[in-house]
């Protein structure tokens, strides 16, 4: 890709690294970078990459590069175009925080180096330029190919990775990023928290001997009727729901409940020589009638 200005003046090295300042961090002092011409080159490369991938909008532009911490590796041919140089392609990378799924399906939060855009001009493809710029990036960033995450790679890019770096088995993800086997190998995996098995409905755990002895010791120190057996304690609560204070009953309240039960118990009587039972209410009515007579 040629431009109406001298590429060799803009980019001094064969592979130039551009940061958010749109300048080469290792440029020569006294030779400022004309940012306007650099913006033209980056914008033109971004549009060409979007067209080659069938995207509706460019992923790479000068404005996006200035507002991020991404890095662009730009490859040129200094001898072409009458020794004015041409741009062969570029590679954009940057760190991003991602939520990925490992081989077990566990969500893991990572921040890997991501390949965000990759383009080589159609007129110079299959000449080894793509591998040259990719190898240079791996050396500069000190990473291995399987440690990278790839943002929406095209079929050509996937074929490139399979041919040169033997990356073929990918780990399925729910987002647009693609990672390959070995990505999680050197990373600390978050342990999976296993929940206890759910008890089946109706399952009752029997008391152990130790729990029974502890229950007896607790009942010895309780006042009557709590010191009685659980069946007797439950029978005392039938027919009335006494007030509870701090989860326990007081002794006077239990005594009053017992008196009420005794009053409601029918008493024996005799009618025509046969024994029958009179309720407390009937006995009170009978007594009141005798007093009136």
């Amino acid at each position: 890709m040629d431009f109406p200005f001298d590429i060799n003046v803009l980019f001094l090295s064969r592979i130039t690294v551009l940061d958010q300042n749109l300048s080469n961090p290792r440029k020569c002092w006294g030779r400022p970078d004309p940012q306007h011409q650099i913006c033209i080159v980056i914008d033109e490369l971004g549009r060409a990459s979007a067209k080659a991938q069938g995207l509706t909008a460019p992923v790479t532009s000068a404005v996006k590069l200035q507002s991020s911490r991404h890095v662009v590796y730009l490859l040129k041919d200094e001898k072409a175009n009458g020794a004015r140089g041409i741009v062969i392609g570029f590679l954009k990378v940057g760190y991003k925080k991602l939520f990925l799924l490992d081989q077990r399906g566990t969500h893991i939060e990572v921040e890997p180096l991501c390949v965000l855009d990759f383009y080589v001009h159609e007129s110079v493809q299959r000449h080894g330029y793509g591998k040259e710029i990719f190898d240079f990036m791996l050396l500069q960033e000190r990473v291995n190919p399987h440690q990278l995450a790839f943002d929406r790679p095209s079929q050509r890019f996937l074929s490139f990775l399979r041919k040169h770096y033997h990356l073929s088995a990918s780990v399925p993800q729910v987002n647009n990023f693609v990672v390959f086997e070995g990505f999680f190998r050197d990373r600390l995996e978050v342990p999976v928290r296993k929940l206890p098995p759910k008890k089946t409905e109706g399952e009752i755990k029997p008391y152990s001997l130790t729990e029974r002895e502890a229950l007896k010791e607790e009942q010895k120190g309780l006042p009557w009727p709590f010191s009685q057996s659980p069946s007797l304690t439950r029978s005392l609560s039938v027919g009335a729901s006494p007030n509870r204070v701090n989860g326990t009953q007081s002794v006077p309240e239990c005594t009053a409940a017992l008196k009420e039960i005794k009053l409601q118990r029918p008493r024996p009587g005799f009618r025509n020589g046969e024994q029958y039972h009179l309720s407390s209410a009937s006995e009170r009515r009978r007594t009141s009638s005798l007093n009136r007579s």
Side-chain angles (χ1 to χ4, degrees), residues 15 17 26 73 91 93 113 131-145 148 165:
I15 298 180
V17 184
R26 289 180 284 182
Y73 291 86
L91 175 64
V93 297
L113 182 66
K131 190 174 186 303
E132 179 183 356
I133 188 174
F134 204 89
D135 289 341
F136 184 86
M137 181 273 299
L138 294 176
L139 184 62
Q140 289 292 118
E141 302 292 341
R142 297 180 181 180
V143 294
N144 294 319
L148 299 170
Y165 303 101

Side-chain angles (χ1 to χ4, degrees), residues 1-3 44-45 48-49 52 75 86-90 118-127 129-130 156:
M1 182 179 294
D2 54 350
F3 293 90
E44 190 65 27
L45 288 172
S49 176
L75 176 64
I86 62 172
V87 177
I88 296 176
F90 76 100
F118 187 33
Y119 171 73
V120 176
H121 196 267
E122 290 80 4
S123 61
V124 290
Q125 289 182 1
R126 300 183 182 277
H127 288 75
Y129 294 122
R156 287 187 177 183

Side-chain angles (χ1 to χ4, degrees), residues 11 58 63-64 88 107 110 119 135 144 172 174 181-182 186 205 235 256 260 266-268:
F11 311 111
V63 175
K64 292 181 180 180
I88 296 176
H107 282 276
V110 292
Y119 171 73
D135 289 341
N144 294 319
V174 296
E181 288 186 358
D186 302 330
K205 181 180 178 182
S235 64
E260 185 179 356
R267 297 184 179 181

Side-chain angles (χ1 to χ4, degrees), residues 58-73:
V59 178
T60 302
S61 65
V63 175
K64 292 181 180 180
L65 185 61
Q66 287 176 316
S67 60
S68 65
R69 301 182 63 181
H70 301 159
V71 177
V72 168
Y73 291 86

